Amino acid sequence: MRKSNTNAYIALAIVSIFWGTTYLASSVGVRHMHGVMLAGIRQAVAGFLITGFFLLRGYKLPEKMVLSKLFVIGTLMLCGGNGLLTWAMKFIPSGLGAIIAATIPIWITIASYFLVQRTRLSLQLIIGMILGFGGVAGIFYNYLSSLMNPDFQFGILIAFGSCIFWALGSVLTAKWALGVNYLYGAGFQMFFSGIIMLIVATLFLGQHVEVSTFTTELWESLLYLVLVGSVFSYSAYVFALNNLPPAQVSIYAYINPVVAVLLGWLILHEQLTWLTGVCSLVTIGGVYLVNNAINKNKKRLATSIK
């Protein structure tokens, strides 16, 4: 048990740090390829590797109903969520994208309230939501001149849109008991979403893959996103989630934005001011209050049922 917990904490540390680095890798990748195509290749290859691993180990294909639900969840979370956010990295700084993504738990709370169960709106929950969104709004003060740029506006719009799609997919994941290995199911979600994004990028966005034109930077970005961002880190996430309380695992959501902002500043020379730092901490603090309020509500419901 002690060894399992130790490995789980190591897995959580991997998720907390390495998922934060994927914003940098995506920002580098979209310099050379459309974001939807980049996300499509990433998810399709990662999904192929993960599902292939399980099939070679003798796992059977899930039932059609389960596959259809995995398709829907993958479309929402990875096409709408990861695909749009990767595309947004073309128009906004990676650090800003990470801070916007940090508000996902708040969007999940909103989606759950309307689609699953009306969560008790405690004072802590309301304050957390206000702080979360207020912190993001404060960061925009550094980008007042950019707010008049249509590309920047588009990037912000699809970044927030990605949060909503991810939240909807997360709510459905919790609502539907799929009865399939988490990582195996995630592999199908990745593969399905990757194929969809490749089709969208090719047929509707006019993008084409020419491997001969790939630069070293693009290869590095793709390999990092596939192997480290998807296969390695997601496997660690699933392992941590199955061996630690969800409240502990959620710590990664507070560390990822910090890693992304610092890397964006150090490597991509993105803007980092005291206001960005303070507002980032305010956003993360708000998300913590929201998560804490939700966990308290769950414990209260569990106690009342008993």
Side-chain angles (χ1 to χ4, degrees):
M1 180 68 72
R2 184 176 299 173
K3 182 179 180 181
S4 178
N5 281 344
T6 300
N7 290 337
Y9 284 119
I10 293 174
L12 179 57
I14 289 171
V15 174
S16 299
I17 296 172
F18 285 101
W19 261 0
T21 65
T22 58
Y23 294 92
L24 171 65
S26 295
S27 291
V28 171
V30 294
R31 294 175 178 175
H32 310 279
M33 176 181 286
H34 194 285
V36 175
M37 181 67 80
L38 181 70
I41 295 175
R42 169 190 177 179
Q43 301 300 349
V45 174
F48 177 80
L49 292 175
I50 292 175
T51 54
F53 170 77
F54 280 95
L55 290 172
L56 288 174
R57 291 190 63 188
Y59 277 66
K60 295 180 180 179
L61 284 173
E63 297 178 357
K64 290 182 180 180
M65 181 58 70
V66 174
L67 284 175
S68 65
K69 289 181 177 180
L70 289 172
F71 178 86
V72 172
I73 293 171
T75 301
L76 288 171
M77 293 185 70
L78 298 177
C79 291
N82 180 256
L84 288 180
L85 188 59
T86 303
W87 191 2
M89 294 298 98
K90 178 73 174 179
F91 309 108
I92 63 176
S94 61
L96 178 58
I99 296 300
I100 292 175
T103 64
I104 285 177
I106 300 178
W107 291 106
I108 290 176
T109 301
I110 295 172
S112 298
Y113 182 83
F114 289 104
L115 299 178
V116 182
Q117 185 180 39
R118 291 189 176 275
T119 306
R120 179 173 171 269
L121 295 177
S122 63
L123 180 61
Q124 179 180 335
L125 181 63
I126 295 173
I127 291 175
M129 294 175 74
I130 293 173
L131 287 176
F133 287 128
V136 175
I139 293 175
F140 286 138
Y141 183 81
N142 287 327
Y143 300 98
L144 289 178
S145 58
S146 299
L147 285 173
M148 302 306 295
N149 184 337
D151 286 342
F152 186 84
Q153 294 173 2
F154 180 69
I156 295 297
L157 180 64
I158 59 177
F160 274 112
S162 74
C163 295
I164 296 173
F165 277 113
W166 188 278
L168 291 173
S170 299
V171 169
L172 286 181
T173 300
K175 188 175 181 179
W176 289 340
L178 299 178
V180 64
N181 179 286
Y182 288 109
L183 190 56
Y184 188 36
F188 281 105
Q189 291 174 26
M190 292 178 189
F191 184 72
F192 290 151
S193 65
I195 297 301
I196 292 172
M197 285 188 280
L198 290 176
I199 292 174
V200 170
T202 302
L203 297 183
F204 299 99
L205 299 176
Q207 303 297 311
H208 301 282
V209 176
E210 294 183 18
V211 179
S212 60
T213 65
F214 282 20
T215 64
T216 301
E217 225 179 34
L218 179 55
W219 274 116
E220 291 172 346
S221 171
L222 272 171
L223 289 173
Y224 191 88
L225 289 171
V226 170
L227 299 178
V228 179
S230 292
V231 177
F232 181 59
S233 297
Y234 195 85
S235 298
Y237 173 70
V238 171
F239 182 81
L241 202 59
N242 281 274
N243 289 277
L244 294 173
Q248 284 188 341
V249 179
S250 67
I251 291 173
Y252 84 88
Y254 315 131
I255 301 176
N256 280 177
V258 176
V259 172
V261 169
L262 289 177
L263 287 178
W265 173 60
L266 288 170
I267 299 177
L268 300 180
H269 307 295
E270 294 177 353
Q271 186 177 19
L272 178 58
T273 65
W274 67 267
L275 181 62
T276 301
V278 170
C279 290
S280 298
L281 293 176
V282 169
T283 299
I284 294 170
V287 172
Y288 169 78
L289 290 176
V290 169
N291 278 338
N292 188 255
I294 295 298
N295 289 329
K296 285 181 179 179
N297 190 57
K298 287 180 179 178
K299 290 180 180 178
R300 189 180 296 110
L301 287 173
T303 303
S304 63
I305 291 174
K306 291 179 180 179

